[in-house]
Amino acid sequence: MSSVQTTVKATATPPEEASATSEQPRTEGFQQLPAVPARSENSPATWARHSLLQCKRLLIGWMRDPATTIQTLVYPAATLLMFKIVLGNAISSATGMPSVYGQVPMICLVAAMSGAVVSALGFKTEKATGLLARFHTMPMNRAAGLTGRLLAEAVRVLITTLFVLAVGLMIGFRFGQGPLAAIALIGIPVLFGVGFAVLVTALATLTEGVLLVSVIGIINTLLMFFNTGFVPVFAYPTWLQDVVANQPMSTAIDAMRGLSYGGPVAEPLLKTLAWTIGLIVVFAWPAVRGYRRAAETS
């Protein structure tokens, strides 16, 4: 009995030592976290990274929304086929030029403009639900929300343009001026869409949802029916020809027609660039101010 007690006493750990051992942190198997340098919210790298995150967020939301999918893909393709069936032969007979080379560029631009309305209504929803205010209080670049939205618009217009061109190839549209001209042709609707998106964003920060749809609908209708995508300039009344020839959709359509079917490219392309830069210069500041005010007051 005494030998057993002696063995227990020899192997037992004093209470003080046991508590000290239990209080020591266990560092075996753990690695020290790396030191991450502090990054300014206003740095260009942070702005670019946060813009890409906002762009990804919007694109994922649009892909999961059936209405946006219809507006982006189904509606432009159906409109192109409708114009080809109803007006294609009549326009080709009257002008001596395949109508598809005017209708495909026109539908690409119309889709870019109509899709911007869906994006603007989404902006209104984010303001009403307080999402803009939440982003405004988070440690993120303040300009990333607007630039991310414009970047998402450019991606959406690119996808729509490629889809419309694919449908156009099935009904006779061809890239007759080479691969570089084809790449430039695809870039024109994207450029036009970004400029129009700045205009729509500025209007979205100043108007209500119903009024916004009405204003943009009127603009789209006027530009769509008075351009060179339906018929050449000489088919319009003399007093209207200069207006039709120099409106932004006509210049973009003429440039895209020249890059595919053939014809002048430099002059209509320069006019399209002038229109796009003008829209951005005029409406960029109101869009920035309105976006910030919407984030602060939502």
Side-chain angles (χ1 to χ4, degrees):
M1 186 67 179
S2 60
S3 61
V4 174
Q5 293 178 351
T6 305
T7 304
V8 173
K9 290 180 179 179
T11 57
T13 303
E16 295 80 3
E17 295 181 5
S19 60
T21 303
S22 61
E23 291 177 357
Q24 292 179 356
R26 297 181 179 180
T27 59
E28 296 82 358
F30 292 92
Q31 296 181 356
Q32 186 176 3
L33 294 176
V36 179
R39 296 178 181 178
S40 173
E41 297 176 8
N42 298 322
S43 65
T46 303
W47 170 58
R49 186 172 64 257
H50 290 176
S51 297
L52 291 175
L53 288 174
Q54 290 284 349
C55 173
K56 180 180 178 181
R57 175 185 69 84
L58 290 170
L59 291 176
I60 292 175
W62 292 344
M63 287 189 297
R64 295 175 178 176
D65 182 20
T68 304
T69 303
I70 293 174
Q71 189 73 29
T72 302
L73 300 179
V74 179
Y75 172 73
T79 304
L80 176 60
L81 294 176
M82 181 188 67
F83 282 162
K84 176 62 178 177
I85 294 171
V86 177
L87 301 174
N89 294 333
I91 294 174
S92 299
S93 301
T95 62
M97 181 185 301
S99 61
V100 69
Y101 290 97
Q103 292 173 349
V104 169
M106 180 183 66
I107 296 302
C108 290
L109 300 177
V110 170
M113 294 189 299
S114 60
V117 179
V118 178
S119 176
L121 294 178
F123 165 80
K124 288 290 189 181
T125 302
E126 292 180 358
K127 177 184 176 182
T129 57
L131 185 60
L132 290 181
R134 185 175 182 181
F135 286 147
H136 191 70
T137 58
M138 293 176 65
M140 61 178 294
N141 188 279
R142 299 294 174 84
L146 181 58
T147 54
R149 183 172 294 275
L150 295 178
L151 183 59
E153 278 291 306
V155 175
R156 180 192 60 79
V157 174
L158 177 61
I159 295 173
T160 303
T161 300
L162 293 176
F163 190 78
V164 171
L165 289 175
V167 176
L169 290 174
M170 292 188 295
I171 60 176
F173 185 84
R174 295 292 182 269
F175 297 102
Q177 306 301 315
L180 294 180
I183 295 174
L185 184 149
I186 294 172
I188 290 177
V190 176
L191 181 68
F192 181 87
V194 171
F196 192 79
V198 176
L199 164 65
V200 173
T201 303
L203 293 178
T205 62
L206 300 174
T207 60
E208 296 298 329
V210 177
L211 181 59
L212 174 66
V213 173
S214 300
V215 171
I216 300 301
I218 293 173
I219 295 175
N220 289 356
T221 302
L222 291 176
L223 293 179
M224 184 174 66
F225 286 101
F226 292 96
N227 63 68
T228 57
F230 275 122
V231 293
V233 176
F234 61 79
Y236 289 92
T238 305
W239 59 271
L240 193 59
Q241 291 182 3
D242 290 338
V243 176
V244 172
N246 293 286
Q247 63 113 321
M249 275 193 67
S250 293
T251 58
I253 290 170
D254 292 342
M256 295 174 71
R257 182 188 290 116
L259 291 169
S260 57
Y261 184 75
V265 175
E267 182 178 355
L269 183 58
L270 290 176
K271 289 181 179 180
T272 303
L273 290 173
W275 272 109
T276 303
I277 295 173
L279 288 175
I280 294 174
V281 170
V282 173
F283 293 101
W285 181 244
V288 172
R289 292 280 297 175
Y291 196 94
R292 181 180 300 176
R293 182 172 59 254
E296 292 175 350
T297 59
S298 62

